[in-house]
Each structure stands twice: as C-alpha cells, then as structure tokens.
Amino acid sequence: LATLTLPTGFAWNAVLLGYLLGSIPFGYVLARLKGVDLRSIGSGNIGATNTGRALGKPLGFLAFFLDFAKGWFPAAFVAGWFLNDSAALTGNLSLAVLAGAAAVAGHVWPIFLGFKGGKAVATGCGVLVALDPTIFVLGGAVFLITAFSTGFVSLASIVMGLSFPVIAWQVMGEEYGSEVPLYCVAFALLVLWRHKDNLKRLMGGLEPRWRGRSKD
C-alpha cells in the first residue's frame, strides 16, 4: 500500500490555504449578521447544529453546506493548484488528503476565533466526498440508520465517524493505498474526541434526542 507522502516546497501552500479556508467560521458569521453570538447560546459551538438552534433550520442547513464545502474545496481543487497536474487526485492524493485535513483542523481550531471551533463532522465529510463519495454515502447510511433508530444525532455522528475507516480499508484501500484510510482513522478519532461531552451525557442518560432541545 502507498503511504502518505509529505509535500515539499511550494506545495505546502495548499495545506496552509486549506487551513485558512477551514478556519472561516461560517456559522459564527451568519449568527453575527443576525446580531447573535453563537458562543453564548446553547452548546456554545459554532457548527451547524447550534446555528440551526439559534437562527432556525434554513440558516442551520446553510451553515452545514458552507462548512461541508470548505472541506470539499481544498481536497478537490486547492491541492491541484499547487501541482503540475490540474486534478488533485491524479496529481498527488497525499496532498489532497493533507489539504482537506488542514481544512478540518481549521474548523476545529480556527485562527480567527482563538482556536476554538466546531466538531468537524460537516467539514470532514466534505473532504471525504472530494476523496471518494462512496465512503461518504456508505457512512451516511450508517448515520441515518443510527439517527432514526436511536434518535440521537450525536451518537449517529460518532458511529458514522467510526464506520469511515472500516469502509475505507475494505472498499478503497486496495484502489488508493493507505492515504484515504489514514485520513478516515484520524477523522474518526477527532469526531470521537470532539463528542466526548455527548458521550458522557449518553452514558448518563442525559443526552436529549434529536427532536428535543439537544446540546449536541
């Protein structure tokens, strides 16, 4: 299996640009336009869930789409700008993975908000769609099954994240090498860590279901 190859020279700019794009706090910006500070409402998270809670579902969906796009764009296009080949996946898959991972890091630790950001689910899934949508579709099915069978969005996010490495190794490992599965492992661990408070509430029977006023 191919291993993750670090970029050299000018190609590092793709990683930097990915991080800066990921650092744009779309949910926070949408809320500020409405005169609301997301960090003082609900869970205090700047992601789509808390945006929807504070501003309504339409703006929550918009925040999700924008957070999703800022993960997809660096992996799908930005990496290719810094390669001889115009397509990131045929030029250097490792750089596409690293640029996407940098966007996820930017969302979680945004330089524009004192390195206090969201939970990475939407942005990380955007990266996966750029790398291979099959992994996202199969993981998304896991999310929907878990969410509708249990009623917990947080649990569904965790289970989906943990399913990604399994899907990647089984379905994509032979085709692409180890870059995508390694990203999926790192993403799964990050999702698990960022939802540690939700896990505590789930184990304590205190986590609201998705139809309630969740603090996810």
Side-chain angles (χ1 to χ4, degrees):
L1 291 179
T3 57
L4 191 66
T5 302
L6 293 178
T8 58
F10 190 64
W12 275 107
N13 288 305
V15 179
L16 175 61
L17 186 53
Y19 171 77
L20 292 175
L21 288 172
S23 291
I24 301 174
F26 286 113
Y28 175 81
V29 171
L30 290 172
R32 292 302 294 178
L33 291 175
K34 294 288 186 177
V36 175
D37 187 346
L38 278 183
R39 296 172 297 182
S40 62
I41 292 180
S43 66
N45 192 273
I46 64 167
T49 301
N50 205 36
T51 302
R53 184 180 300 113
L55 306 179
K57 289 184 179 179
L59 287 179
F61 283 123
L62 177 58
F64 178 88
F65 172 78
L66 292 172
D67 284 345
F68 186 95
K70 73 183 184 183
W72 172 80
F73 188 72
F77 291 104
V78 171
W81 297 346
F82 297 90
L83 298 168
N84 292 328
D85 192 313
S86 60
L89 297 185
T90 58
N92 189 332
L93 180 59
S94 291
L95 187 57
V97 169
L98 289 171
V104 174
H107 179 74
V108 177
W109 300 286
I111 191 173
F112 306 122
L113 287 180
F115 304 102
K116 296 179 180 180
K119 293 185 176 179
V121 175
T123 304
C125 286
V127 175
L128 278 178
V129 170
L131 298 176
D132 196 299
T134 302
I135 302 174
F136 171 74
V137 169
L138 294 176
V142 172
F143 175 91
L144 291 175
I145 292 170
T146 306
F148 281 99
S149 62
T150 68
F152 294 114
V153 173
S154 57
L155 180 61
S157 297
I158 293 168
V159 175
M160 177 183 67
L162 294 175
S163 76
F164 284 143
V166 177
I167 295 169
W169 281 113
Q170 294 296 320
V171 179
M172 302 300 160
E174 291 298 324
E175 181 178 352
Y176 289 140
S178 64
E179 299 99 326
V180 175
L182 285 174
Y183 166 79
C184 289
V185 170
F187 180 39
L189 293 174
L190 181 61
V191 169
L192 190 62
W193 176 64
R194 293 295 288 173
H195 285 81
K196 59 184 183 296
D197 291 336
N198 301 90
L199 280 172
K200 291 178 181 177
R201 291 196 295 270
L202 284 165
M203 290 186 289
L206 301 174
E207 180 79 344
R209 297 178 186 273
W210 69 280
R211 292 184 184 276
R213 296 184 61 82
S214 169
K215 290 187 179 181
D216 178 54

